[in-house]
Amino acid sequence: MSFDILKKLEWRYATKKFDATKKVTPKKITILKEAFNLTATSYGLQPLKLVVISNPKIIKDLVPLSYNQEQVGNASHIFVICIENSIDAKFIKKYFDLVNKTRNTSRDILKSYEDYLIDDFSKKTDEEITIWAAKQAYLTMGNLLTVCAVEEIDACPIEGFQPDQYDSYLNLTAKGLQSVLVMAVGHRSVDDAFSELKKVRRGVDEIVIDLE
Ligand SMILES: Cc1cc2nc3c(=O)[nH]c(=O)nc-3n(C[C@H](O)[C@H](O)[C@H](O)COP(=O)(O)O)c2cc1C
């Protein structure tokens, strides 16, 4: 059983060429959206949004904003993982409203933790909050890559893009967001040579320290 997941993780690779004729089904896209939402985040605050692009014209337009990476242009969907620009008292209060509504936990019980978080975040600089939020974005991508592997969806994680240009082209700034990561999603092309390459990894004995 545990080896099945390792087989799936071996199967996945950073896809360099998708088969543009093969679209990922809406059902699978829904699974990925749910997995994004189910990802653990620090304090549970989810300072994130996921933009899912399926429009072929928009996808093509993103290629030059992604250093002309071919896999962006032939992907079925482009996922843009964004962070919220404003993680302030209002944002934190909204989270506790949701806890209250979802679990019926009274505001009195939540108050000390809520006050602590509002105080803690008020002491952080904008840069510190951005770095913190970006870490949560990376976690979601790790989770999505694993879910893609399990669901046999191909994907390429992408840092090689111009966030400022994505933000203005996709109108993200107006939505209070900034792009942090891109994930191209689709099904591998039969002639993507990278699918046949052996994984380059340091080796478990080298990368893991067992302290017994
Ligand atoms: C955060 C992150 C950013 C990456 N950015 C790119 C990218 O811009 N273009 C690309 O082709 N691959 C990108 N990769 C893919 C890595 O090069 C790839 O995952 C790594 O070489 C290991 O290979 P594998 O995923 O095929 O096992 C990125 C991977 C990660 C985790």
Side-chain angles (χ1 to χ4, degrees), residues 17 20 33 36 43 59 73 113 136 160 169 172 177 208-209 211:
K17 188 174 181 189
K33 289 176 183 173
F36 176 80
Y43 306 113
I59 290 178
Y113 188 37
Q136 316 313 312
Y169 176 69
L172 298 176
L177 302 171
V208 176
I209 299 171
L211 287 181

Side-chain angles (χ1 to χ4, degrees), residues 24-40 46 48-55 77-81 140-141 143-145 147-148 151 153 183 185:
V24 177
T25 63
K27 198 173 156 202
K28 297 262 182 193
I29 294 295
T30 301
I31 292 171
L32 295 179
K33 289 176 183 173
E34 294 280 353
F36 176 80
N37 194 36
L38 284 169
T39 304
Q46 296 186 287
L48 307 162
K49 286 243 167 106
L50 175 67
V51 178
V52 177
I53 302 164
S54 55
N55 180 311
H77 292 68
I78 295 293
F79 284 18
V80 185
I81 304 174
T140 66
M141 193 162 77
N143 197 27
L144 286 177
L145 287 171
V147 175
C148 279
E151 292 294 326
I153 302 163
M183 195 172 90
V185 175

Side-chain angles (χ1 to χ4, degrees), residues 9 12-16 69 71 138 141 145 156-161 181 194 199-201:
L9 290 175
R12 75 140 293 281
Y13 73 107
T15 306
K16 304 291 189 220
Q69 296 199 66
Q71 67 273 35
Y138 276 79
M141 193 162 77
L145 287 171
C156 186
I158 293 176
E159 267 177 338
F161 73 105
L181 280 167
F194 283 83
K199 284 233 172 285
V200 180
R201 293 297 190 270

